[in-house]
Amino acid sequence: MQRSLIRPESYVRLVRVVRSSVALFALVVGACVRPSAAPVVSPSPAATAPVASAPAAGVAARQAAVVPNPNAPKVLVIATGGTIAGVQDAPGTLGSYRAGTLTAEQITASVPELARYARIETEQFSNVASTLVTPEMWVKLAKRINVVLQRGDLAGVVVTHGTDRLEETAFFLYLTVRSNKPVVVVGAQRPATGISPDGPINLLGAVRTAASPKAVHKGVMVVMDDRILSARESRKLYQRTGGFDTGDMGMLGVVASQGPEFFFAPVRRFGERSEFDLERVDTLPKVELTMSYPGGTGQTFTTNPKGVVVATTGMTAAENATYRALRQTGVVVVTSFTSGENVNGGGGGGDGPPPPARTDTTARRDSVARPVVAPVPPNVVAQHLTATKARILLMVALTKTNDPREVQRIFNEY
Ligand code: SIN
């Protein structure tokens, strides 16, 4: 038998060369494939222009090859904008692009394979870079989805969205869509006209998930890069494909070649069990977000917030004093680990009812007569939520109550 002439050291060298080439390629792509600095607010004229003749010809050929399934479940694709609808000045390059340009119809038409798995309907909610998405838009979008999901003929909804603020919108929908039908939020990190766009494959995975009976009772999900993530935990970790992930918990399954496969399901409150009714809500209570850091003294606000979230692993004495004073004025203060991974200190998040909230008081139990000082309302602790998501849960919770004990109950359940 002839022995290989390649020695082990050569393999090691080869692996090093391949690794550094991949890293260099990723750097170049990361540097080039970024949205243009100024986001496009409204659909540009390019929205109706043909994107490029070569891709269009490719789409036509694929369209001819797909046999639509007339019995497939109906899925509504609601488009909001983002890179998944992004168009470059020079298509087919690594050049900059305008997010939120293609319409819902154009995005779905560019993936004829969708027709194998779903009968697609489209709706244009907005067409913006996601940095322009506001809490008022979350409310409108959630209300719209709550309405359409009442349709008996609709299996699920897909929301296309810019990735910059995708995790926030998805989490808001997770808390406020009161249906067990699947809602899937999807984006792309490369524009539709770019080299190897990820939008089409992500959209296909999202539609297959929204159409699947397996996705019922799984809450709002984010489907990117064939991963099915719970919206409660999904995060944008970096600006490349594969950049969406969850922390220690939250990946529910994958979109396999045969279709979505689930291995886990969320158990906290969402969907039909959500208590949050947006019927009479148009704007959300103001909640500020701030960081604690060594030497910090805590932040004061001129915006008159109803709630404040502090990202912290432990506050300085001065920060403690500042937020204690804030709580005394009726502002609900929530603390959350910056990593979003901490689960301790939520008070009763597991078995049984929460223990009595710890309140600070200077009232003494001795016989000396002293002025009684009102107890300071307790601090609320977030469990396994990033500070950004804790802010959203607090905004939603404050539509129901501003009692910190009740807010803690909500943080323990959702
Ligand atoms: C956006 O968030 O609208 C732009 C970036 C992206 O979609 O990846």
Side-chain angles (χ1 to χ4, degrees):
M1 194 171 74
Q2 189 160 6
R3 304 243 335 254
S4 164
L5 296 176
I6 303 175
R7 294 202 308 270
E9 311 85 78
S10 313
Y11 281 123
V12 172
R13 269 204 303 278
L14 182 64
V15 166
R16 278 200 195 122
V17 169
V18 169
R19 260 199 206 144
S20 48
S21 314
V22 167
L24 184 64
F25 179 73
L27 266 179
V28 170
V29 170
C32 299
V33 185
R34 297 271 51 85
S36 47
V40 178
V41 180
S42 54
S44 74
T48 49
V51 168
S53 53
V59 168
R62 278 182 283 131
Q63 217 149 21
V66 171
V67 182
N69 176 359
N71 301 315
K74 268 193 195 157
V75 170
L76 174 65
V77 176
I78 301 180
T80 69
T83 296
I84 196 165
V87 169
Q88 299 162 300
D89 293 334
T93 67
L94 296 177
S96 64
Y97 61 94
R98 292 143 67 89
T101 300
L102 296 177
T103 62
E105 239 170 273
Q106 287 173 309
I107 299 169
T108 51
S110 73
V111 190
E113 286 81 356
L114 297 178
R116 284 189 211 277
Y117 306 103
R119 284 175 290 156
I120 299 292
E121 291 179 19
T122 58
E123 198 169 297
Q124 194 75 44
F125 176 81
S126 60
N127 212 355
V128 296
S130 68
T131 45
L132 295 168
V133 171
T134 61
E136 287 70 31
M137 289 166 73
W138 296 340
V139 174
K140 279 200 187 106
L141 182 61
K143 284 183 178 181
R144 179 69 191 142
I145 294 173
N146 275 316
V147 168
V148 296
L149 284 182
Q150 283 168 18
R151 276 176 49 187
D153 65 333
L154 202 62
V157 166
V158 168
V159 177
T160 63
H161 200 285
T163 63
D164 288 347
R165 295 281 183 266
L166 189 148
E167 64 187 63
E168 285 97 334
T169 300
F171 184 52
F172 182 79
L173 297 178
Y174 170 93
L175 295 171
T176 56
V177 170
R178 302 173 91 188
S179 165
N180 285 329
K181 290 184 182 177
V183 175
V184 180
V185 188
V186 63
Q189 305 247 31
R190 297 177 184 159
T193 58
I195 295 172
S196 294
D198 51 334
I201 187 69
N202 286 348
L203 182 62
L204 187 61
V207 165
R208 292 179 83 184
T209 306
S212 170
K214 294 179 187 171
V216 173
H217 287 288
K218 302 293 189 304
V220 175
M221 291 155 277
V222 172
V223 172
M224 302 271 287
D225 312 299
D226 293 338
R227 296 189 193 114
I228 306 173
L229 314 173
S230 171
R232 188 185 187 281
E233 318 291 342
S234 72
R235 298 177 210 169
K236 182 175 181 175
L237 297 186
Y238 49 83
Q239 293 180 317
R240 302 193 303 277
T241 55
F244 272 78
D245 212 330
T246 61
D248 279 349
M249 314 173 211
M251 180 160 158
L252 307 181
V254 292
V255 185
S257 50
Q258 72 277 14
E261 294 288 2
F262 285 86
F263 294 87
F264 302 95
V267 295
R268 293 174 84 100
R269 275 180 84 169
F270 61 85
E272 268 181 358
R273 290 174 53 230
S274 168
E275 70 201 88
F276 303 118
D277 182 2
L278 296 177
E279 187 74 21
R280 276 181 284 279
V281 176
D282 290 316
T283 53
L284 295 166
K286 181 144 204 77
V287 174
E288 297 288 1
L289 175 56
T290 185
M291 297 274 290
S292 112
Y293 46 85
T297 54
Q299 198 171 331
T300 49
F301 303 91
T302 52
T303 50
N304 196 22
K306 299 275 174 279
V308 169
V309 174
V310 187
T312 181
T313 46
M315 293 197 207
T316 66
E319 286 172 336
N320 258 322
T322 300
Y323 297 120
R324 190 172 183 275
L326 204 58
R327 296 193 325 256
Q328 234 153 357
T329 66
V331 175
V332 179
V333 177
V334 174
T335 54
S336 158
F337 262 47
T338 318
S339 67
E341 293 295 333
N342 199 40
V343 294
N344 288 348
D351 304 333
R358 278 181 299 161
T359 46
D360 302 337
T361 176
T362 53
R364 300 268 302 262
R365 290 208 193 100
D366 55 30
S367 56
V368 184
R370 292 172 191 277
V372 175
V373 178
V376 180
N379 183 64
V380 175
V381 183
Q383 290 187 318
H384 206 260
L385 275 183
T386 57
T388 320
K389 293 228 179 83
R391 174 176 175 264
I392 295 169
L393 181 51
L394 182 54
M395 289 163 101
V396 173
L398 287 169
T399 64
K400 288 209 75 177
T401 178
N402 55 10
D403 174 354
R405 290 165 193 81
E406 190 49 11
V407 174
Q408 181 68 69
R409 194 260 314 151
I410 287 170
F411 270 76
N412 292 343
E413 291 184 5
Y414 287 82

